[in-house]
Amino acid sequence: MSLTVRDFVARGLVAGAVGGGAAALFIRVVTETQIGFALEFEDAAVLGGPATEAAEFSRGTQYWGGMAAAVLYGAVIGLALGVAVAALHHRVRAHDEFGRVARVATGAFVAVVLIPFLKYPANPPAVGDPDTVGERTRLFLSLMAAGIVIVFAAWYLWEYLSERGWDGGRRVAAVGGAFTAVVALAFVVWPPSPDAIVPPDNEASPALVVADDAPDAVLDEMLATARATGDESLRDPGDPSEPLDLASVDAGDLPGTPVAASTTELVDHSFTTMVWNFRLQALAGLALMVAVTAVVLGILLDLPARAGSRERAPAGVGG
Protein backbone atom coordinates (compact mmCIF):
# COMPACT_ATOMS: atom_id res chain seq x y z
CA MET A 1 0.00 0.00 0.00
CA SER A 2 1.48 3.31 -1.06
CA LEU A 3 1.13 6.33 1.19
CA THR A 4 0.02 9.75 -0.03
CA VAL A 5 1.12 13.10 1.33
CA ARG A 6 -2.27 13.31 3.02
CA ASP A 7 -1.47 10.07 4.88
CA PHE A 8 1.83 11.52 6.12
CA VAL A 9 0.10 14.72 7.25
CA ALA A 10 -2.78 12.96 9.04
CA ARG A 11 -0.50 10.51 10.81
CA GLY A 12 1.89 13.34 11.67
CA LEU A 13 -0.89 15.29 13.37
CA VAL A 14 -1.93 12.26 15.43
CA ALA A 15 1.65 11.42 16.38
CA GLY A 16 2.38 15.04 17.25
CA ALA A 17 -0.65 15.26 19.51
CA VAL A 18 0.53 12.14 21.35
CA GLY A 19 4.04 13.59 21.65
CA GLY A 20 2.62 16.88 22.87
CA GLY A 21 0.55 15.03 25.46
CA ALA A 22 3.67 13.27 26.74
CA ALA A 23 5.48 16.60 26.98
CA ALA A 24 2.48 18.16 28.76
CA LEU A 25 2.59 15.45 31.43
CA PHE A 26 6.34 15.95 31.77
CA ILE A 27 5.86 19.69 32.25
CA ARG A 28 3.10 19.16 34.81
CA VAL A 29 4.96 16.54 36.86
CA VAL A 30 8.60 17.65 36.50
CA THR A 31 9.11 21.16 35.14
CA GLU A 32 6.28 22.69 37.18
CA THR A 33 8.43 22.30 40.30
CA GLN A 34 11.05 24.72 38.95
CA ILE A 35 8.32 27.12 37.80
CA GLY A 36 7.01 27.14 41.37
CA PHE A 37 10.48 27.97 42.68
CA ALA A 38 10.77 30.82 40.16
CA LEU A 39 7.46 32.27 41.33
CA GLU A 40 8.72 32.17 44.93
CA PHE A 41 11.62 34.42 43.90
CA GLU A 42 9.17 36.75 42.17
CA ASP A 43 6.97 36.95 45.28
CA ALA A 44 9.99 37.57 47.52
CA ALA A 45 11.15 40.45 45.32
CA VAL A 46 7.99 42.44 46.09
CA LEU A 47 7.66 41.37 49.74
CA GLY A 48 6.14 44.13 51.81
CA GLY A 49 5.66 46.39 48.82
CA PRO A 50 2.42 47.78 47.45
CA ALA A 51 -0.13 45.27 46.29
CA THR A 52 0.33 44.20 42.71
CA GLU A 53 -2.39 43.45 40.22
CA ALA A 54 -3.77 39.94 40.43
CA ALA A 55 -2.72 37.58 37.67
CA GLU A 56 -5.10 37.55 34.73
CA PHE A 57 -5.26 33.76 34.90
CA SER A 58 -5.15 31.56 37.99
CA ARG A 59 -2.38 29.01 38.45
CA GLY A 60 -4.85 26.21 37.70
CA THR A 61 -5.81 27.85 34.42
CA GLN A 62 -2.15 28.35 33.60
CA TYR A 63 -1.47 24.65 34.30
CA TRP A 64 -4.15 23.39 31.96
CA GLY A 65 -3.53 26.13 29.41
CA GLY A 66 0.15 25.25 29.29
CA MET A 67 -0.63 21.56 28.86
CA ALA A 68 -3.10 22.30 26.07
CA ALA A 69 -0.51 24.51 24.38
CA ALA A 70 2.01 21.65 24.57
CA VAL A 71 -0.44 19.30 22.83
CA LEU A 72 -1.13 21.90 20.13
CA TYR A 73 2.59 22.58 19.66
CA GLY A 74 3.21 18.84 19.43
CA ALA A 75 0.59 18.55 16.70
CA VAL A 76 2.38 21.29 14.73
CA ILE A 77 5.70 19.47 15.20
CA GLY A 78 4.10 16.23 14.04
CA LEU A 79 2.63 17.93 10.99
CA ALA A 80 6.00 19.41 10.07
CA LEU A 81 7.73 16.06 10.63
CA GLY A 82 5.19 14.23 8.50
CA VAL A 83 5.64 16.70 5.64
CA ALA A 84 9.44 16.50 5.95
CA VAL A 85 9.42 12.69 5.84
CA ALA A 86 7.14 12.75 2.80
CA ALA A 87 9.35 15.30 1.01
CA LEU A 88 12.58 13.40 1.78
CA HIS A 89 11.08 9.94 1.42
CA HIS A 90 13.18 8.90 -1.57
CA ARG A 91 16.33 10.65 -0.36
CA VAL A 92 16.65 9.10 3.09
CA ARG A 93 17.68 5.45 2.98
CA ALA A 94 16.18 3.13 5.60
CA HIS A 95 14.83 -0.41 5.93
CA ASP A 96 11.35 0.80 6.86
CA GLU A 97 9.35 3.93 7.56
CA PHE A 98 10.24 3.82 11.26
CA GLY A 99 13.94 4.08 10.48
CA ARG A 100 13.33 6.85 7.97
CA VAL A 101 11.29 8.87 10.48
CA ALA A 102 13.96 8.34 13.15
CA ARG A 103 16.65 9.80 10.87
CA VAL A 104 14.58 12.81 9.83
CA ALA A 105 13.41 13.47 13.40
CA THR A 106 16.97 13.35 14.75
CA GLY A 107 18.17 15.86 12.18
CA ALA A 108 15.16 18.09 12.79
CA PHE A 109 15.69 18.05 16.56
CA VAL A 110 19.35 19.01 16.21
CA ALA A 111 18.57 21.78 13.71
CA VAL A 112 15.49 23.46 15.15
CA VAL A 113 15.82 22.70 18.88
CA LEU A 114 19.29 21.75 20.06
CA ILE A 115 21.47 24.24 18.17
CA PRO A 116 19.43 27.41 18.93
CA PHE A 117 18.56 26.23 22.46
CA LEU A 118 22.21 25.82 23.46
CA LYS A 119 22.87 29.44 22.48
CA TYR A 120 19.59 30.97 23.67
CA PRO A 121 18.10 28.67 26.37
CA ALA A 122 14.63 29.14 27.79
CA ASN A 123 14.00 31.06 31.01
CA PRO A 124 11.45 30.23 33.72
CA PRO A 125 8.73 32.75 34.62
CA ALA A 126 9.86 35.96 36.34
CA VAL A 127 13.45 35.43 35.19
CA GLY A 128 15.06 37.82 32.74
CA ASP A 129 13.99 41.09 31.19
CA PRO A 130 10.63 40.83 29.37
CA ASP A 131 11.63 43.77 27.17
CA THR A 132 14.21 41.53 25.46
CA VAL A 133 11.71 38.83 24.43
CA GLY A 134 11.34 40.18 20.89
CA GLU A 135 15.08 40.40 20.28
CA ARG A 136 15.74 36.98 21.82
CA THR A 137 13.02 35.47 19.62
CA ARG A 138 14.56 36.95 16.48
CA LEU A 139 18.00 35.65 17.43
CA PHE A 140 16.60 32.21 18.23
CA LEU A 141 14.71 31.95 14.93
CA SER A 142 17.67 33.16 12.89
CA LEU A 143 19.95 30.58 14.52
CA MET A 144 17.26 27.95 13.96
CA ALA A 145 17.33 28.76 10.23
CA ALA A 146 21.12 28.50 10.29
CA GLY A 147 20.81 25.18 12.12
CA ILE A 148 18.61 23.79 9.34
CA VAL A 149 21.20 24.81 6.74
CA ILE A 150 24.03 23.31 8.81
CA VAL A 151 22.26 19.97 9.28
CA PHE A 152 21.39 19.73 5.58
CA ALA A 153 24.99 20.57 4.69
CA ALA A 154 26.24 17.83 7.02
CA TRP A 155 23.83 15.36 5.45
CA TYR A 156 24.95 16.26 1.91
CA LEU A 157 28.58 15.92 2.99
CA TRP A 158 27.82 12.47 4.41
CA GLU A 159 26.18 11.41 1.14
CA TYR A 160 29.02 12.91 -0.90
CA LEU A 161 31.69 11.03 1.05
CA SER A 162 29.65 7.82 0.99
CA GLU A 163 29.45 7.93 -2.80
CA ARG A 164 33.24 8.20 -2.91
CA GLY A 165 33.80 5.18 -0.75
CA TRP A 166 34.34 6.82 2.60
CA ASP A 167 32.92 4.79 5.47
CA GLY A 168 33.50 3.92 9.11
CA GLY A 169 35.41 6.20 11.43
CA ARG A 170 36.93 8.26 8.62
CA ARG A 171 33.52 9.41 7.40
CA VAL A 172 32.21 10.03 10.92
CA ALA A 173 35.31 12.04 11.85
CA ALA A 174 35.12 14.16 8.71
CA VAL A 175 31.41 14.96 8.94
CA GLY A 176 31.38 15.28 12.73
CA GLY A 177 34.42 17.53 12.75
CA ALA A 178 33.04 19.79 10.03
CA PHE A 179 29.64 19.96 11.73
CA THR A 180 31.16 20.83 15.12
CA ALA A 181 33.40 23.50 13.61
CA VAL A 182 30.53 25.19 11.76
CA VAL A 183 28.25 25.13 14.80
CA ALA A 184 31.03 26.61 16.96
CA LEU A 185 31.55 29.33 14.36
CA ALA A 186 27.83 30.11 14.38
CA PHE A 187 27.88 30.41 18.17
CA VAL A 188 30.72 32.93 17.88
CA VAL A 189 29.08 34.94 15.08
CA TRP A 190 25.63 35.17 16.68
CA PRO A 191 25.52 37.76 19.47
CA PRO A 192 25.13 36.70 23.10
CA SER A 193 21.71 36.74 24.71
CA PRO A 194 20.65 40.32 25.52
CA ASP A 195 18.99 39.09 28.68
CA ALA A 196 21.10 39.26 31.85
CA ILE A 197 20.06 36.53 34.28
CA VAL A 198 20.13 37.99 37.78
CA PRO A 199 17.96 37.18 40.81
CA PRO A 200 14.92 39.42 41.14
CA ASP A 201 15.73 41.62 44.11
CA ASN A 202 14.34 44.47 46.18
CA GLU A 203 17.60 45.86 47.52
CA ALA A 204 17.38 49.07 45.48
CA SER A 205 13.87 49.86 46.77
CA PRO A 206 13.49 48.01 50.07
CA ALA A 207 9.97 47.43 51.30
CA LEU A 208 10.94 46.28 54.81
CA VAL A 209 11.68 48.58 57.74
CA VAL A 210 13.06 48.15 61.25
CA ALA A 211 10.09 47.70 63.59
CA ASP A 212 9.22 50.61 65.86
CA ASP A 213 8.87 48.26 68.84
CA ALA A 214 12.16 46.43 68.29
CA PRO A 215 13.91 45.85 71.68
CA ASP A 216 16.92 48.04 72.44
CA ALA A 217 19.15 44.97 72.71
CA VAL A 218 18.18 43.92 69.20
CA LEU A 219 18.82 47.39 67.83
CA ASP A 220 22.22 47.58 69.52
CA GLU A 221 23.21 44.17 68.11
CA MET A 222 21.89 45.06 64.65
CA LEU A 223 23.97 48.25 64.46
CA ALA A 224 27.08 46.62 65.94
CA THR A 225 26.90 43.71 63.50
CA ALA A 226 26.35 46.01 60.51
CA ARG A 227 29.39 48.11 61.48
CA ALA A 228 31.57 45.05 62.08
CA THR A 229 30.67 43.25 58.84
CA GLY A 230 30.12 46.22 56.54
CA ASP A 231 26.56 45.03 55.94
CA GLU A 232 24.71 47.49 53.68
CA SER A 233 21.19 46.12 54.20
CA LEU A 234 20.30 49.18 56.35
CA ARG A 235 19.44 51.96 53.90
CA ASP A 236 19.31 55.73 53.96
CA PRO A 237 15.68 56.77 54.68
CA GLY A 238 16.11 59.73 52.33
CA ASP A 239 17.44 57.57 49.48
CA PRO A 240 16.78 53.84 50.05
CA SER A 241 18.94 52.95 47.07
CA GLU A 242 21.97 54.05 49.12
CA PRO A 243 23.30 52.34 52.25
CA LEU A 244 22.86 54.05 55.61
CA ASP A 245 25.86 55.94 56.99
CA LEU A 246 26.40 53.72 60.02
CA ALA A 247 28.87 56.09 61.63
CA SER A 248 26.32 58.89 61.87
CA VAL A 249 23.46 57.03 63.60
CA ASP A 250 22.77 55.50 66.99
CA ALA A 251 20.85 52.30 67.66
CA GLY A 252 17.87 54.36 68.78
CA ASP A 253 17.66 55.93 65.32
CA LEU A 254 17.10 52.59 63.56
CA PRO A 255 13.31 52.10 64.01
CA GLY A 256 11.64 52.94 60.69
CA THR A 257 14.93 52.58 58.78
CA PRO A 258 14.49 50.75 55.43
CA VAL A 259 16.04 47.28 55.28
CA ALA A 260 17.07 45.75 51.97
CA ALA A 261 16.33 42.03 52.22
CA SER A 262 18.03 40.10 49.44
CA THR A 263 15.58 37.87 47.61
CA THR A 264 18.10 35.05 47.55
CA GLU A 265 18.11 35.11 51.36
CA LEU A 266 14.31 34.96 51.57
CA VAL A 267 13.90 31.85 49.39
CA ASP A 268 15.23 28.45 50.39
CA HIS A 269 16.23 27.48 46.84
CA SER A 270 19.33 28.44 44.90
CA PHE A 271 18.47 30.82 42.08
CA THR A 272 21.16 29.58 39.72
CA THR A 273 20.25 25.94 40.38
CA MET A 274 16.60 26.69 39.68
CA VAL A 275 17.42 28.35 36.34
CA TRP A 276 19.82 25.53 35.38
CA ASN A 277 17.31 22.80 36.26
CA PHE A 278 14.51 24.54 34.41
CA ARG A 279 16.60 24.83 31.25
CA LEU A 280 17.64 21.18 31.37
CA GLN A 281 14.06 20.10 31.95
CA ALA A 282 12.76 22.36 29.17
CA LEU A 283 15.21 20.76 26.75
CA ALA A 284 14.30 17.29 28.03
CA GLY A 285 10.61 18.06 27.51
CA LEU A 286 11.22 19.07 23.89
CA ALA A 287 13.36 15.97 23.32
CA LEU A 288 10.58 13.81 24.78
CA MET A 289 8.01 15.47 22.52
CA VAL A 290 10.05 14.88 19.37
CA ALA A 291 11.01 11.33 20.38
CA VAL A 292 7.45 10.23 21.15
CA THR A 293 6.18 11.92 17.99
CA ALA A 294 8.79 10.15 15.88
CA VAL A 295 8.10 6.74 17.44
CA VAL A 296 4.32 7.01 17.00
CA LEU A 297 4.64 8.39 13.46
CA GLY A 298 7.05 5.61 12.48
CA ILE A 299 4.68 2.97 13.81
CA LEU A 300 1.65 4.52 12.08
CA LEU A 301 3.49 4.72 8.75
CA ASP A 302 4.73 1.15 9.01
CA LEU A 303 1.29 -0.33 9.73
CA PRO A 304 -0.03 -0.14 6.12
CA ALA A 305 3.16 -1.68 4.72
CA ARG A 306 2.99 -4.56 7.20
CA ALA A 307 -0.70 -5.08 6.54
CA GLY A 308 0.00 -5.22 2.80
CA SER A 309 2.81 -7.74 3.25
CA ARG A 310 0.55 -10.01 5.30
CA GLU A 311 -2.12 -9.85 2.62
CA ARG A 312 0.42 -10.85 -0.05
CA ALA A 313 1.94 -13.67 2.03
CA PRO A 314 0.93 -17.20 0.97
CA ALA A 315 -1.45 -19.01 3.25
CA GLY A 316 0.07 -21.68 5.48
CA VAL A 317 -0.74 -25.35 5.01
CA GLY A 318 -2.54 -26.82 7.97
CA GLY A 319 -1.31 -30.11 9.42
Side-chain angles (χ1 to χ4, degrees):
M1 176 182 177
S2 60
L3 295 169
T4 65
V5 175
R6 182 177 179 180
D7 294 326
F8 282 93
V9 170
R11 287 163 172 79
L13 285 171
V14 173
V18 175
L25 291 175
F26 182 87
I27 292 171
R28 181 66 183 90
V29 175
V30 179
T31 313
E32 185 61 38
T33 300
Q34 305 305 322
I35 294 176
F37 292 163
L39 294 178
E40 288 184 28
F41 280 100
E42 182 182 38
D43 293 340
V46 296
L47 181 65
T52 57
E53 295 183 4
E56 185 176 356
F57 300 102
S58 66
R59 287 299 296 153
T61 302
Q62 293 175 24
Y63 292 151
W64 293 108
M67 295 176 70
V71 174
L72 179 60
Y73 182 65
V76 174
I77 293 295
L79 171 63
L81 184 58
V83 172
V85 173
L88 300 172
H89 194 269
H90 300 294
R91 302 294 302 274
V92 179
R93 293 187 294 271
H95 295 296
D96 52 21
E97 298 297 339
F98 189 93
R100 186 172 288 108
V101 172
R103 287 167 169 77
V104 175
T106 300
F109 176 77
V110 172
V112 305
V113 176
L114 187 60
I115 290 177
F117 192 97
L118 291 178
K119 180 70 176 180
Y120 305 111
N123 290 333
V127 173
D129 183 0
D131 293 336
T132 66
V133 170
E135 184 177 356
R136 282 186 281 133
T137 301
R138 288 190 295 272
L139 292 172
F140 188 95
L141 293 177
S142 64
L143 189 54
M144 179 191 297
I148 294 174
V149 174
I150 293 171
V151 169
F152 265 105
W155 176 50
Y156 277 115
L157 178 60
W158 182 277
E159 295 293 311
Y160 176 83
L161 295 178
S162 299
E163 292 173 358
R164 279 152 183 77
W166 288 47
D167 58 8
R170 184 172 61 156
R171 180 177 56 183
V172 171
V175 177
F179 175 81
T180 303
V182 175
V183 171
L185 178 62
F187 281 9
V188 172
V189 172
W190 259 255
S193 174
D195 194 18
I197 305 301
V198 294
D201 224 328
N202 58 15
E203 288 190 341
S205 54
L208 305 180
V209 296
V210 178
D212 290 335
D213 57 352
D216 293 339
V218 172
L219 296 176
D220 290 337
E221 183 65 25
M222 180 182 296
L223 183 59
T225 301
R227 286 173 173 170
T229 62
D231 182 14
E232 296 184 348
S233 60
L234 295 172
R235 297 303 176 108
D236 186 344
D239 184 4
S241 65
E242 295 294 331
L244 180 67
D245 184 2
L246 300 178
S248 63
V249 296
D250 295 323
D253 300 325
L254 293 182
T257 299
V259 181
S262 174
T263 301
T264 55
E265 296 176 359
L266 298 174
V267 181
D268 294 333
H269 320 291
S270 168
F271 182 81
T272 54
T273 301
M274 178 271 295
V275 174
W276 173 254
N277 288 341
F278 175 84
R279 289 176 169 181
L280 286 181
Q281 292 169 9
L283 183 59
L286 291 172
L288 176 66
M289 177 187 295
V290 175
V292 172
T293 299
V295 169
V296 175
L297 179 58
I299 293 174
L300 292 178
L301 292 176
D302 270 342
L303 287 177
R306 293 177 179 176
S309 64
R310 286 196 298 268
E311 292 174 359
R312 293 192 296 272
V317 179

